[in-house]
Amino acid sequence: MPRDHKPSGPLDDVSKAIIEQLQQDGRRSYAAIGKVVGLSEAAVRQRVQRLTESGAMQIVAVTDPVEMGFARQAMVGVRVVGSIDPVADELAAIPEVDYVVVTAGSYDILAEVVCESDSQLLELVNEKLRTIDGVVATEIFVYLRLQKQTYSWGVR
Amino acid sequence: MPRDHKPSGPLDDVSKAIIEQLQQDGRRSYAAIGKVVGLSEAAVRQRVQRLTESGAMQIVAVTDPVEMGFARQAMVGVRVVGSIDPVADELAAIPEVDYVVVTAGSYDILAEVVCESDSQLLELVNEKLRTIDGVVATEIFVYLRLQKQTYSWGVR
DNA sequence: AGTGAAACGACCGTAGA
DNA sequence: TCTACGGTCGTTTCACT
């Protein structure tokens, strides 16, 4: 699922203020946001539409994995021989993998996985990750505690 | 910012269906969701309220760091001597750190950082992370490409 | 890009099963 | 925990700047 990325230059302060409001509550009304940022409802709505269509922002529900029955998360460091891209593609196609990033460092790829149990995690890594062509090593960092997860950059 | 976590047992299929709708569009109307899941508007509203108050779900704007002027992201593996908790707390308090997880493995903590430039990243790691009491080693995984980031578990 | 106004639809509180 | 309903407020469309 690649993000669309229409050009859309850097954001002005008003759009940043709108985003800040929606980071606190994605359902806050355009009218209420307009009062804070000093714009009419319609203007706020237009800017939100442009921001979402350009891919700069999206308004979504994010869930707590534990409450959803996924009690075990882990980050997997992956070392690859040969081309990295096809490996990254295959990883991204796995439903239990929710985050894939190509990195510079002692791993070529970091992949976050969400599982229901330790046994499912082990099976996933052994049978779906380590069997991908080009993967030569993996290291599992089991999550003991998620300490911070924010969707607001720079602010608060 | 610790999550509140009222007890609230495992979710039934209706609540999962509601969440699925809101993962696609966090602003979808309660009435429209009700038609899909077979519930009245008010019932959907009550369930969404309970889900958000229990911390199982939140509806927020998530942004593209590049569009927001944060062109450089990295994952930092942190090795700690002594108690891990105070280090995790200090890391979580840093604004540029958006994700902190305590892990089992060759790092004790993984922290994701969001910066405007390479120089800011370097300064952050050297002056704010490595100076924390108990941190004995860090390893930086600079993000070359974010390949996948989904907020929907299990589905699609 | 922005405003203002009127019609429409969504949301909220309350009552009742 | 759900439905029903009425009042209030938010959203949408459109003509205008």
Side-chain angles (χ1 to χ4, degrees):
Chain A
M1 248 129 245
R3 209 85 65 216
D4 257 340
H5 260 291
K6 296 184 181 179
S8 89
L11 305 180
D12 64 15
D13 290 342
V14 178
S15 288
K16 283 182 184 170
I18 292 172
I19 290 171
E20 210 173 312
Q21 294 292 310
L22 290 169
Q23 281 173 336
Q24 288 164 32
D25 176 5
R27 280 199 158 248
R28 188 159 296 166
S29 77
Y30 299 136
I33 295 168
K35 282 185 186 170
V36 176
V37 306
L39 234 58
S40 73
E41 301 167 325
V44 173
R45 185 159 29 87
Q46 280 175 187
R47 289 175 93 117
V48 169
Q49 195 180 335
R50 267 183 276 125
L51 286 167
T52 55
E53 282 175 358
S54 74
M57 180 190 78
Q58 51 181 336
I59 299 172
V60 292
V62 298
T63 53
D64 181 332
V66 174
E67 298 269 350
M68 297 289 282
F70 295 91
R72 183 54 82 211
Q73 277 186 278
M75 187 71 73
V76 183
V78 180
R79 232 179 306 259
V80 176
V81 63
S83 311
I84 293 170
D85 284 13
V87 177
D89 287 338
E90 281 200 62
L91 285 168
I94 299 171
E96 292 92 342
V97 175
D98 71 308
Y99 195 61
V100 176
V101 53
V102 178
T103 55
S106 58
Y107 307 112
D108 300 300
I109 297 171
L110 289 174
E112 189 180 66
V113 299
V114 186
C115 295
E116 294 173 15
S117 62
D118 287 318
S119 59
Q120 203 202 322
L121 170 60
L122 197 64
E123 188 187 323
L124 174 67
V125 173
N126 280 334
E127 295 178 18
K128 293 178 101 172
L129 304 201
R130 292 176 69 91
T131 55
I132 294 173
D133 208 59
V135 170
V136 290
T138 59
E139 184 164 6
I140 307 179
F141 300 94
V142 172
Y143 287 11
L144 301 176
R145 182 158 47 90
L146 185 55
Q147 173 97 11
K148 179 183 189 179
Q149 182 171 36
T150 182
Y151 303 99
S152 316
W153 322 110
V155 249
R156 56 172 189 179
Chain B
M1 250 131 244
R3 207 84 68 216
D4 258 340
H5 260 291
K6 296 186 179 179
S8 89
L11 305 181
D12 64 13
D13 290 341
V14 178
S15 288
K16 282 182 185 170
I18 291 173
I19 290 171
E20 210 172 312
Q21 293 292 310
L22 290 169
Q23 281 172 337
Q24 288 164 33
D25 177 5
R27 278 195 160 258
R28 191 160 293 167
S29 78
Y30 300 138
I33 295 168
K35 281 185 186 170
V36 176
V37 307
L39 235 58
S40 73
E41 183 196 276
V44 174
R45 192 172 8 107
Q46 286 166 17
R47 288 176 94 116
V48 170
Q49 193 180 335
R50 266 182 276 125
L51 287 167
T52 55
E53 282 175 358
S54 74
M57 179 189 78
Q58 52 180 341
I59 299 172
V60 291
V62 297
T63 53
D64 180 333
V66 175
E67 298 269 350
M68 297 289 283
F70 295 91
R72 183 54 82 212
Q73 278 185 276
M75 188 69 75
V76 183
V78 180
R79 232 178 308 258
V80 176
V81 62
S83 311
I84 292 171
D85 283 14
V87 177
D89 286 339
E90 282 200 60
L91 284 168
I94 298 171
E96 292 91 344
V97 175
D98 70 307
Y99 195 63
V100 175
V101 53
V102 179
T103 55
S106 57
Y107 305 112
D108 301 300
I109 298 172
L110 289 175
E112 189 179 66
V113 299
V114 186
C115 296
E116 293 172 15
S117 62
D118 287 318
S119 58
Q120 203 202 321
L121 170 61
L122 197 65
E123 187 187 322
L124 174 69
V125 174
N126 281 333
E127 295 177 18
K128 293 180 101 172
L129 305 200
R130 293 176 68 91
T131 55
I132 294 172
D133 208 59
V135 170
V136 290
T138 59
E139 184 164 4
I140 307 179
F141 301 94
V142 172
Y143 287 12
L144 301 176
R145 181 158 47 91
L146 184 55
Q147 174 97 12
K148 180 183 187 180
Q149 182 171 34
T150 182
Y151 303 98
S152 316
W153 323 109
V155 250
R156 55 173 189 177

